[in-house]
Amino acid sequence: MAKAKQISAYLIFLISLFPVLLLNAAEPDAISLTTQELPGWELMQNTVYHENELYGYIDGGAEIYREYGFQKLTVQELKNDAQELIVEIYRMKTPEAAFGIFSTSQRNCPPAEGLPKLSCSSPFQLLAAKGPYLLTITNYDGSEQLQQASIGIAEKLLTKIDFDGDVIPSFFRNPFFKSFSRKIKMVSGTLGLQNGFSRWQDYFQDIAQYRIFIAPVDDSHGSASVALIQLPEKESSRTFCRNLGIHPPTTNDHGWKKVTRSEAKLAVQELQPQQYVLVETDGNYAGFDDLLSEIQTAESN
């Protein structure tokens, strides 16, 4: 009897651990800086915000992070005499999600010297993305000294991230897109489209969980947008084509489906099931067919 009670007590103890074990298993990896890594700086505050707590930190701006796929935010406030830095470390669900937020936030500022290409440095803020992490480091001074301090802190954080992949699809690695590569953006929902591509909302009406990489192309003929679109399933493909007013193209068509909408020229081609290339120019773009030929050549290389 005593032995049976011991076994029962042990089982109850193990069951009581399950929620803790499950929580730890589900907890996303987090990176941060320690005081030992910050010579000359005092770590004033270290705050962590989980998925449903983001509104408490950036009320009004949290929705777009959640749309891309947000998991955790670590905010570290640093002080060095009268100088201050705010370090924000966003842990997104995927590398594509981190790139998506970075791509729609960078505002064409130049890459930070010594940091990977997915970085952007302006006098008051530094942005960087690597793997599923997005870093922002903000100062309120704008001095060269604080810009360099921000770069040094970003370097230390980025070395903690084990990721050497490339989130930009191979389609855009062709030399044709090289001069536009810094401008490629990724959107995955309505809020992302509203942030620069609001005219495309009608194209994706009644579709959820899409992913769009968009390259703006500027040449002697004018401006165009070239998008690689991934849709979740076959019904979404039918809805997408219906929204554009075209019959669904197939990989056997070996050509473009063209349509004119609201003074814009569009062409669509299916690369593989549920994956499309969309090209859009304004109605005055003179070299539309030449552009399609160049993109077709880029696909085949």
Side-chain angles (χ1 to χ4, degrees):
M1 180 67 69
K3 187 174 182 179
K5 288 182 177 179
Q6 288 178 344
I7 293 173
S8 297
Y10 183 65
L11 289 173
I12 291 171
F13 172 72
L14 288 178
I15 291 171
S16 70
L17 288 178
F18 284 174
V20 177
L21 293 173
L22 289 172
L23 178 62
N24 289 338
E27 186 78 4
D29 295 334
I31 61 170
S32 60
L33 295 163
T34 64
T35 53
Q36 290 76 18
E37 296 173 302
L38 297 165
W41 291 91
E42 184 178 358
L43 182 57
M44 303 297 296
Q45 190 170 344
N46 187 90
T47 309
V48 176
Y49 299 87
H50 292 87
E51 186 170 358
N52 295 322
E53 301 169 335
L54 189 60
Y55 296 102
Y57 183 68
I58 49 173
D59 185 26
E63 278 299 332
I64 191 162
Y65 286 85
R66 290 171 57 83
E67 180 177 85
Y68 276 101
F70 166 79
Q71 287 188 318
K72 177 190 282 189
L73 166 64
T74 301
V75 181
Q76 298 190 294
E77 298 182 18
L78 312 180
K79 190 171 183 180
N80 180 355
D81 294 329
Q83 298 177 324
E84 293 184 26
L85 290 174
I86 306 297
V87 181
E88 298 169 323
I89 307 160
Y90 292 86
R91 175 53 157 93
M92 307 299 288
K93 290 183 178 179
T94 65
E96 289 80 9
F99 172 76
I101 292 289
F102 171 83
S103 70
T104 57
S105 303
Q106 63 154 318
R107 307 300 181 191
N108 297 322
C109 68
E113 185 178 350
L115 295 185
K117 62 181 179 180
L118 296 184
S119 64
C120 171
S121 180
S122 64
F124 295 94
Q125 190 174 66
L126 182 147
L127 297 175
K130 183 179 179 182
Y133 294 92
L134 173 74
L135 313 179
T136 74
I137 304 176
T138 305
N139 75 81
Y140 303 106
D141 185 311
S143 67
E144 179 66 24
Q145 182 182 5
L146 284 183
Q147 290 180 58
Q148 291 303 314
S150 297
I151 291 173
I153 288 171
E155 287 179 324
K156 292 178 180 179
L157 287 168
L158 292 171
T159 59
K160 296 173 180 277
I161 303 170
D162 184 17
F163 182 81
D164 59 1
D166 194 338
V167 297
I168 298 176
S170 58
F171 174 82
F172 288 113
R173 294 178 210 152
N174 188 278
F176 173 76
F177 294 104
K178 184 176 181 180
S179 59
F180 316 115
S181 61
R182 281 284 298 177
K183 298 180 180 180
I184 292 174
K185 302 185 184 304
M186 194 281 275
V187 299
S188 61
T190 301
L191 294 176
L193 286 176
Q194 289 175 354
N195 192 7
F197 297 91
S198 58
R199 66 189 184 278
W200 285 20
Q201 291 183 77
D202 291 345
Y203 305 169
F204 296 91
Q205 186 175 354
D206 300 322
I207 302 174
Q209 298 180 337
Y210 50 81
R211 188 173 65 194
I212 316 167
F213 285 85
I214 309 169
V217 175
D218 298 305
D219 59 22
S220 59
H221 299 294
S223 298
S225 295
V226 181
L228 183 67
I229 300 162
Q230 184 66 56
L231 300 174
E233 32 79 27
K234 188 176 294 186
E235 182 57 36
S236 296
S237 296
R238 287 193 284 265
T239 301
F240 172 65
C241 293
R242 185 168 60 248
N243 290 342
L244 289 178
I246 63 173
H247 293 292
T250 69
T251 52
N252 296 321
D253 284 344
H254 302 296
W256 298 90
K257 297 278 188 177
K258 300 178 184 179
V259 64
T260 300
R261 284 173 54 102
S262 303
E263 300 182 356
K265 295 179 181 179
L266 291 94
V268 181
Q269 185 179 84
E270 184 179 67
L271 294 185
Q272 55 186 342
Q274 286 82 65
Q275 187 180 67
Y276 298 87
V277 176
L278 170 66
V279 181
E280 181 191 73
T281 69
D282 62 43
N284 297 320
Y285 190 93
F288 189 60
D289 289 334
D290 292 339
L291 176 62
L292 296 182
S293 296
E294 287 192 77
I295 294 170
Q296 187 81 49
T297 301
E299 288 177 26
S300 61
N301 289 339

